[in-house]
Each structure stands twice: as structure tokens, then as C-alpha cells.
Amino acid sequence: MAHLTEDNSKILKRVRRLKGQLEGVEKMLAEGADCYAVLQNAAACRGAFNSLMRELILDHVEHHLVQSDEATDEIRETAQEIQDIVKSFLK
Amino acid sequence: MAHLTEDNSKILKRVRRLKGQLEGVEKMLAEGADCYAVLQNAAACRGAFNSLMRELILDHVEHHLVQSDEATDEIRETAQEIQDIVKSFLK
Amino acid sequence: MAHLTEDNSKILKRVRRLKGQLEGVEKMLAEGADCYAVLQNAAACRGAFNSLMRELILDHVEHHLVQSDEATDEIRETAQEIQDIVKSFLK
Amino acid sequence: MAHLTEDNSKILKRVRRLKGQLEGVEKMLAEGADCYAVLQNAAACRGAFNSLMRELILDHVEHHLVQSDEATDEIRETAQEIQDIVKSFLK
């Protein structure tokens, strides 16, 4: 329900790309690849994970606070401050 | 390929479990699940991913430094200090 | 200035304790202490800093959303979901 | 003892700058500054904390592994791989 339908395709794309990266790591492990190469490929997923979390949180705040009919100007301002903090933590 | 064969099955299990968790998130998104439920499940994936990274780094240090035939006592000690720091960062 | 006066003393205590910890690290460095001991003490500061950030964000959300006179039940619910996510990220 | 004397001044500078930033946050709290301004200034310390931890870990690995007289080529290679992973995590 809720807001996700609108942004679904963008977020779904992120989840699928991340799953693809993980499948690459899985294949390397199954084939006995060099351990540091595995480590590097796994580390590369970390940015994708952080971006996914950032988008999910920002969307949640956007739809349930910033764009809520029930939000006043002050509520909206605080919501945007929270979004800025999230962006600085998960960039 | 080195040390990974030994620990392969343990790490592979982690990667596959994480992939399964991500598929759960993908399914929730595709079905239009409640957005906070999606967010919580994605956050759980992040914890699993951090654990995976921790194990990959600890194993790498273990096999190439701590258990290396070339390591002296001092090398070994530093390697274990690094493992402790990694544990404190990725817990 | 808003809500900080109430929680000021609690947060101020955290900031001062953290400053004290950092001064400990500074002193160790100046005295040429063992480098791993310095590293461990710096890592402890990082944990204290994450706790400080968590408290600052939770308080901000608490006073400007959860306890705001302008907040409706739905606004409040979202605010508490945000607090739960922040707790899981900065624990 | 150990390697810190050489890099001491660089690391000490980082610690002191970070302490200065924290003192700014302390002053804002004591003067009842706007809570979001406090939050932003505290968040700005996070990058400085991560950089300090990164430098401490990299130096530790550099002096006790990479530049150790006891390190073989293989030990050195692993040590540099660890440094690269640390850089990607704490950037």
C-alpha cells in the first residue's frame, strides 16, 4: 500500500542490482576465486546497501511527513531536516 | 583461491541467506507491501551484510597473517589487534 | 533554541565526557603511548560519538514531531518509526 | 613508543581539531542554541572522527606490518589489501 507504488520501480531496480552483485559474490565463492577479489566485490555492495537504505528512509519521510495532508509547516520543516541528516549519514 | 575453500561453505551460507532476505524485500516491494515493513526488512539485510563483511575480513587476516607460516609472533599480534578493531567496527 | 534546554544537561554531559575521552587520546599521543592503546581509546570515542548523535536525533524527533501540538496520530506514528530506525543504525 | 612519534604531530592535529569542533557543540548547547544547528555541528564531527580512526588504523598497519623488518612480501601484500579495505570503509 502507501507510497511505495509510486517509487516502487526505482527502489526495485536498486534491490535487483544489489541482488545481482551478491550473486556475483556467490559465484566467485562457489568457484573458489581469490579471497581478496571476493572481499573487494563484497565491499562494493556496501555503497549499494547504504544507497538503498537512504532512499527507503527518505521516501518514507517524504510521503508520510513532508507530503502528508496532516503536516503543518513546522512538521514539514523538521521532516526536511531529518532528510538532510539521513543524507549526510548514508551518502 | 587460497583459504576460502575451507570456510567457503560457512561464508556461502551467509551470502545465500542474505540473497534470500533481499528477495523477500524485492517481493514485498513488487506486491506493494507496507513501506515501513519494507524498511525494517531492508535494515535487517544491512545487519546481515555487515556480518558478512566482518567474516570475510576476519578470515582473510586469519589465513594470510595469523596462520601464515611466514608470520612471526609480532606479526601475529598485530594481526589479532586488527581483527579486534574490525570486530568493534562491524558488530 | 527550542527543546534543548530541557535535555541540555543530559546531552551536555555526553559532550563533555566525549571531550574528556578525546583529551585522554591527545595526552597518550603527546606522551608517545603504545599505538594500539591509542587506537583502542580512539575507537571508544567513536562509540561515544555515535551515542551522542543518536540522542541528538532522537530528541529532535521527539520534541518537534512526537510531542508537537501540531502532530496527528499518523504523524506521531511515522516519527516513532523514524526513531526506531535511528536506534538500529546508531546503537 | 613505537611508530606514533613520527606521525604524532599529524594525528595530534586531527585530535585537536576534533576537540575544537566538540567545544563548539558544547558552547552552542550551553548557550541554548537552535537544536537543529547543534545537530548539524555534531554531525560535522562524524567525518573528522572517521578520518582520525582511518589514519590511526592505516598507520598501525603500515608500521607494524608493511614496514616491519619481519614482514615477507606476502605479509606485506596482505597488509596493503587490509589498508585498501579500511580506506573504502572509512572514507
Side-chain angles (χ1 to χ4, degrees):
Chain A
M1 63 105 242
H3 68 78
L4 277 177
T5 32
E6 307 151 37
D7 299 316
N8 248 359
S9 61
K10 201 183 63 175
I11 302 261
L12 256 176
K13 241 179 243 170
R14 278 187 188 276
V15 173
R16 284 174 183 152
R17 196 167 51 226
L18 184 50
K19 213 181 63 175
Q21 284 179 275
L22 267 183
E23 276 161 2
V25 171
E26 185 187 357
K27 200 166 163 246
M28 289 176 86
L29 281 164
E31 290 172 352
D34 173 72
C35 51
Y36 183 59
V38 174
L39 189 47
Q40 281 180 305
N41 276 273
C45 296
R46 191 166 169 265
F49 252 112
N50 282 344
S51 301
L52 173 64
M53 285 309 302
R54 185 189 60 227
E55 293 309 311
L56 282 169
I57 299 173
L58 292 179
D59 278 9
H60 193 55
V61 173
E62 183 70 23
H63 291 271
H64 291 278
L65 295 177
V66 179
Q67 307 205 353
S68 165
D69 291 341
E70 300 180 2
T72 60
D73 284 353
E74 216 186 291
I75 299 278
R76 231 162 239 128
E77 198 191 323
T78 301
Q80 284 164 339
E81 291 168 353
I82 294 167
Q83 289 180 318
D84 287 340
I85 290 290
V86 169
K87 280 180 204 160
S88 83
F89 265 80
L90 292 170
K91 63 184 170 193
Chain B
M1 66 95 240
H3 69 77
L4 276 176
T5 32
E6 306 151 38
D7 299 316
N8 246 0
S9 60
K10 201 184 63 174
I11 301 264
L12 254 177
K13 241 180 243 172
R14 276 188 189 274
V15 173
R16 284 174 182 153
R17 196 168 51 225
L18 180 52
K19 214 182 62 176
Q21 284 177 279
L22 263 184
E23 276 160 4
V25 171
E26 185 186 357
K27 203 168 160 242
M28 290 175 86
L29 282 163
E31 290 173 353
D34 173 72
C35 51
Y36 183 59
V38 174
L39 189 46
Q40 283 180 304
N41 277 273
C45 291
R46 190 173 165 268
F49 175 68
N50 281 343
S51 301
L52 172 65
M53 284 309 302
R54 185 187 61 226
E55 293 308 310
L56 281 170
I57 300 173
L58 292 180
D59 278 10
H60 193 56
V61 173
E62 183 69 24
H63 290 270
H64 291 278
L65 294 176
V66 179
Q67 308 205 353
S68 165
D69 291 341
E70 300 180 2
T72 60
D73 284 352
E74 216 187 291
I75 300 279
R76 230 162 240 128
E77 198 190 324
T78 301
Q80 285 164 339
E81 290 168 353
I82 294 167
Q83 289 180 318
D84 287 340
I85 289 291
V86 169
K87 281 180 205 160
S88 85
F89 266 76
L90 292 169
K91 63 184 169 194
Chain C
M1 65 96 242
H3 69 78
L4 276 176
T5 32
E6 306 152 38
D7 299 316
N8 247 359
S9 60
K10 202 183 62 176
I11 302 263
L12 255 177
K13 241 180 244 171
R14 277 188 189 274
V15 173
R16 284 173 181 153
R17 197 167 51 225
L18 180 52
K19 214 183 62 176
Q21 285 177 278
L22 263 184
E23 276 161 3
V25 171
E26 186 186 356
K27 202 168 160 242
M28 290 175 85
L29 283 164
E31 290 172 353
D34 173 71
C35 51
Y36 183 59
V38 174
L39 189 46
Q40 283 180 305
N41 277 274
C45 292
R46 191 175 165 265
F49 175 69
N50 281 344
S51 302
L52 171 66
M53 284 309 302
R54 185 188 61 227
E55 293 308 310
L56 281 169
I57 300 174
L58 292 179
D59 278 10
H60 194 55
V61 172
E62 183 69 23
H63 291 271
H64 291 278
L65 295 176
V66 178
Q67 307 206 354
S68 165
D69 290 342
E70 301 180 1
T72 61
D73 284 353
E74 218 187 291
I75 299 278
R76 232 162 239 129
E77 198 191 323
T78 300
Q80 285 165 339
E81 290 168 354
I82 293 167
Q83 289 180 319
D84 287 340
I85 291 290
V86 169
K87 280 180 207 161
S88 84
F89 266 75
L90 292 170
K91 65 184 167 193
Chain D
M1 64 104 240
H3 68 77
L4 277 177
T5 33
E6 307 153 37
D7 299 316
N8 249 358
S9 60
K10 203 183 63 177
I11 302 261
L12 256 176
K13 242 180 243 169
R14 280 187 188 275
V15 173
R16 283 173 183 153
R17 196 166 52 225
L18 185 50
K19 213 182 63 175
Q21 284 179 276
L22 267 182
E23 275 161 3
V25 171
E26 185 187 358
K27 200 165 161 247
M28 290 176 85
L29 281 164
E31 290 172 354
D34 172 73
C35 52
Y36 183 59
V38 174
L39 189 46
Q40 282 181 304
N41 277 274
C45 296
R46 191 168 170 265
F49 253 113
N50 282 343
S51 302
L52 173 65
M53 285 308 302
R54 185 188 61 227
E55 293 309 310
L56 282 170
I57 300 173
L58 292 179
D59 278 10
H60 194 55
V61 172
E62 183 69 24
H63 292 270
H64 290 278
L65 295 177
V66 179
Q67 307 204 354
S68 165
D69 291 340
E70 300 180 1
T72 60
D73 284 352
E74 218 187 290
I75 299 277
R76 231 162 239 128
E77 198 191 323
T78 300
Q80 284 164 339
E81 290 168 354
I82 294 166
Q83 288 179 319
D84 287 340
I85 290 290
V86 169
K87 281 180 205 160
S88 83
F89 265 79
L90 291 170
K91 65 183 169 192

